[in-house]
Amino acid sequence: MNASAVGENEGAGPFEVTHRLVLSIAIPMTLGFLTTPLIGLTDTAVAGRLGSANALAGMAVGAVLFDLLLGSFNFLRASTTGLVAQAFGRGDRREEQAVYWRSLIIALCCGLAIALLSPFLLSAGLFLMAPSPDVAAVTSTYFLIRALAAPMALGNYALLGFVLGRGQGMTGLMLQAIINGVNIVLSIVLGLWWGWGIAGIAWGAVIGETTGMLAGLALVVSRFDRAQRPARAEIFERERLKALFSLNRDIMIRTFVLIGAFAIMTRIGSSMGPLVLAANAVLMNIFLVAGYYLDGLANAAEQLVGRAFGANFRPAFDRAVKLTLFWSFGLGIVTTLLFLVFGTDIIGLLTTTESVRAEAAKYLPWAALTAVTGALAFQMDGVFIGATWSGAMRNMMLAAFAGYLLALALFVPLLGNHGLWLALNLFLAFRGLFLALRLPALAGRQFAGQSRV
């Protein structure tokens, strides 16, 4: 077999899933995700040195609005990963490229729509958040500049989805490092050294996203095999586009429900008073930390399961499910134990207010437990995205959300904030369990006639 043939069939057919293969995807992506909080810390530090509480508050409100907006489009990354991984497993290089171009075009169109509609989106966000006029003025400056980055930011979702679909974790880490690194450096340079203030922080984000997309495009497109370039008709093939839109729709619904669940938790917490609200905000950082590496393992599950689907090879599918489950629960248990032992010290680092420290310590065990109750949820999400079982994932999310609402109705009146955290843990557990219960039947249909490992 000649070298070109080997290159064309790289990744196709049966393959062995090992611990090393799982971690080669999960670790780089976890490291990439961990660079993201550094942006928030840097922006907060820069805004905090501008000598105005309104500047800090306005930037925080604008960042929350923009992150919620972009988070709603995370389906672009997830759907691209699943479809590229399946094409990778089949050795279909032409379809890999076609999926990428479809996703990129959709991402750029959605991003352009956000940029054009940004004044209306800002008005809606300010109506919901209801900041003071001085804070709203800062938020407007920040948000309208950040909105210019929307096409590039969503384009980076498609880029990241493509490289993850091919199992290129180190490339994904490099792209994340470029985006976040440029963002951090320019936020300091433009915001402080050049005196642009909040506008400088926002322009740092715009330039970071743009640099990352240009670097990613150059890297990804340069590796495309021109002999496998899809025709325009293939990229815009009606059935393929219909399948992609259907997949995106289901993942988007699942994402909105997830955002809604956390919004409800915040709303109920705020009704218990500012002290409880502040304590819960501190404790949510513990859940977010666990979420970074659980997301990394979910990325590994997406790629390996999608690749096994493309190769139509059940042993790799079963092994991918088992190993990602092992690492998710193993790290989840270790994380819970670490937070139970050192959690009060971490709370002390996150807030200097003694009353908030004492209040957060009351609910620390519930926050620590989310690393375990969320382990199966994150891992199963990865499995179902890789398998492109988006309809089942959407339905199980809705079922878990119904269970969450019931838990809130039962436990919050009885237990107060303890009941609120109990409901969150049950919601995470429901998500994972409901998906796991659907797994055997769906896998049996997909790999009909193949024996399990």
Side-chain angles (χ1 to χ4, degrees):
M1 183 178 293
N2 60 40
S4 62
V6 173
E8 288 175 10
N9 292 298
E10 176 197 2
F15 65 102
E16 182 182 3
V17 178
T18 63
H19 289 284
R20 182 176 181 179
L21 183 57
V22 169
L23 296 178
S24 71
I25 302 171
I27 292 176
M29 291 316 304
T30 299
L31 294 175
F33 294 143
L34 286 173
T35 64
T36 301
L38 295 177
I39 296 176
L41 291 173
T42 303
D43 290 352
T44 300
V46 172
R49 290 177 176 272
L50 297 177
S52 167
N54 290 332
L56 185 57
M59 188 213 67
V61 172
V64 167
L65 291 176
F66 195 77
D67 289 345
L68 283 174
L69 187 61
L70 283 191
S72 302
F73 287 87
N74 192 49
F75 60 83
L76 292 166
R77 202 278 309 156
S79 62
T80 305
T81 299
L83 293 172
V84 169
Q86 291 185 13
F88 182 69
R90 292 193 303 271
D92 190 347
R93 300 294 166 256
R94 185 179 295 271
E95 179 59 16
E96 277 184 38
Q97 293 187 39
V99 170
Y100 170 71
W101 291 120
R102 287 183 206 117
S103 298
L104 183 63
I105 290 167
I106 293 172
L108 293 176
C109 289
C110 290
L112 185 59
I114 290 173
L116 292 174
L117 295 173
S118 57
F120 304 100
L121 296 170
L122 173 63
S123 297
L126 292 176
F127 175 78
L128 292 173
M129 303 293 281
S132 68
D134 289 338
V135 172
V138 177
T139 297
S140 299
T141 298
Y142 179 87
F143 185 89
L144 291 175
I145 295 173
R146 276 291 305 269
L148 299 175
M152 288 71 76
L154 297 187
N156 284 323
Y157 283 2
L159 276 163
L160 186 59
F162 178 82
V163 298
L164 284 179
R166 302 197 83 245
Q168 297 167 342
M170 289 303 297
T171 302
L173 170 59
M174 184 185 70
L175 293 176
Q176 290 289 99
I178 291 172
I179 296 167
N180 296 338
V182 171
N183 189 340
I184 289 169
V185 171
L186 289 183
S187 291
I188 296 171
V189 172
L190 300 179
L192 287 181
W193 293 359
W194 287 16
W196 291 10
I198 294 299
I201 297 173
W203 279 114
V206 173
I207 298 171
E209 294 287 0
T210 303
T211 304
M213 193 185 82
L214 293 176
L217 271 172
L219 184 66
V220 167
V221 175
S222 68
R223 294 178 178 176
F224 282 164
D225 183 351
R226 293 190 177 186
Q228 298 294 330
R229 179 185 296 171
R232 185 177 301 177
E234 292 176 88
I235 295 173
F236 294 101
E237 184 184 342
R238 183 175 179 180
E239 289 304 312
R240 299 281 190 180
L241 282 172
K242 185 178 178 181
L244 179 58
F245 278 115
S246 176
L247 182 59
N248 284 336
R249 178 201 63 211
D250 292 337
I251 298 176
M252 181 174 65
I253 292 171
R254 166 254 185 201
T255 302
F256 280 144
V257 173
L258 187 60
I259 292 172
F262 287 109
I264 289 171
M265 182 180 179
T266 301
R267 178 67 184 85
I268 294 175
S270 67
S271 70
M272 298 179 186
L275 186 59
V276 169
L277 182 62
N280 286 352
V282 169
L283 291 173
M284 280 304 293
N285 285 283
I286 291 176
F287 171 69
L288 292 174
V289 168
Y292 289 127
Y293 66 73
L294 291 177
D295 248 346
L297 288 163
N299 290 156
E302 291 170 21
Q303 199 279 332
L304 296 172
V305 165
R307 183 178 171 185
F309 259 50
N312 194 30
F313 187 53
R314 174 138 199 184
F317 170 84
D318 290 336
R319 183 78 170 158
V321 172
K322 289 176 182 177
L323 293 192
T324 53
L325 185 64
F326 167 81
W327 282 104
S328 293
F329 269 109
L331 290 173
I333 291 169
V334 170
T335 301
T336 293
L337 293 175
L338 288 174
F339 279 132
L340 289 175
V341 174
F342 301 107
T344 52
D345 297 319
I346 295 170
I347 290 170
L349 291 173
L350 294 172
T351 178
T352 57
T353 307
E354 287 299 330
S355 58
V356 175
R357 287 180 175 180
E359 190 71 12
K362 295 179 184 177
Y363 312 108
L364 174 62
W366 292 114
L369 188 60
T370 58
V372 173
T373 55
L376 184 62
F378 278 82
Q379 187 256 356
M380 280 291 123
D381 269 356
V383 170
F384 275 63
I385 287 171
T388 59
W389 291 329
S390 59
M393 184 170 66
R394 175 202 63 209
N395 293 341
M396 294 305 98
M397 173 62 86
L398 291 171
F401 185 68
Y404 173 59
L405 295 178
L406 180 61
L408 289 172
L410 288 174
F411 297 120
V412 171
L414 292 174
L415 303 172
N417 199 42
H418 286 288
L420 183 59
W421 278 97
L422 172 59
L424 176 64
N425 277 279
L426 287 173
F427 174 58
L428 294 171
F430 288 154
R431 283 176 56 203
L433 182 61
F434 292 169
L435 290 171
L437 290 174
R438 291 294 313 275
L439 184 64
L442 291 171
R445 272 205 300 271
Q446 175 65 30
F447 299 103
Q450 294 189 40
S451 61
R452 301 187 61 179
V453 294

